[in-house]
């Protein structure tokens, strides 16, 4: 049986404690009951995750390919390598 040793960073634990204290003070200052407050916190967290996913999709799925195409079209060699390979293969066949 293998025993895995893991390092526990005490500074991270202290950071979690301060975050929990901050959340507690926000709850106490809000004047809401626990269900209402934590439902709002959950909705906020879900919305931020969805926004991050959307930003990543936009950056990696749209923006990066658009930049790659613009660089290719503005450069000296605007032809695709696959197109060159297919044309060379067709030229060899005939």
């Amino acid at each position: 049986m293998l025993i895995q040793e893991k390092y526990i960073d005490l500074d991270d634990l202290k950071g979690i404690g301060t975050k929990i204290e901050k959340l507690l003070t926000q709850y106490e200052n809000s004047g809401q009951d626990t269900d209402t407050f934590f439902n709002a916190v959950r909705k906020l967290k879900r919305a931020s995750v969805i926004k991050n996913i959307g930003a990543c999709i936009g950056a990696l799925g749209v923006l990066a390919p658009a930049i790659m195409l613009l660089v290719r079209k503005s450069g000296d060699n605007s032809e695709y390598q696959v197109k060159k390979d297919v044309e060379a293969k067709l030229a060899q066949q005939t």
Side-chain angles (χ1 to χ4, degrees), residues 38-54:
F38 284 109
N39 283 337
V41 170
R42 281 188 210 106
K43 287 179 185 178
L44 181 66
K45 183 65 176 177
R46 286 183 190 132
S48 67
V49 167
I50 290 171
K51 286 179 185 178
N52 285 334
I53 290 171

Side-chain angles (χ1 to χ4, degrees), residues 9-93:
D9 189 10
L10 295 178
D11 291 333
D12 286 345
L13 288 177
K14 291 176 186 174
I16 292 172
T18 57
K19 289 177 185 177
I20 290 174
E21 287 177 7
K22 182 179 176 183
L23 185 64
L24 178 63
T25 57
Q26 287 177 351
Y27 164 69
E28 290 170 347
N29 292 335
S30 71
Q32 298 174 335
D33 61 341
T34 55
D35 290 333
T36 307
F37 179 77
F38 284 109
N39 283 337
V41 170
R42 281 188 210 106
K43 287 179 185 178
L44 181 66
K45 183 65 176 177
R46 286 183 190 132
S48 67
V49 167
I50 290 171
K51 286 179 185 178
N52 285 334
I53 290 171
C56 290
I57 288 171
L60 297 174
V62 178
L63 190 61
I67 290 171
M68 290 168 47
L69 285 173
L70 287 173
V71 167
R72 182 177 294 209
K73 292 295 180 183
S74 66
D76 297 335
N77 190 5
S78 64
E79 294 212 9
Y80 296 101
Q81 183 63 37
V82 175
K83 181 179 176 183
K84 289 180 183 179
D85 293 343
V86 169
E87 288 175 350
K89 198 174 203 181
L90 287 174
Q92 288 177 352
Q93 290 179 356

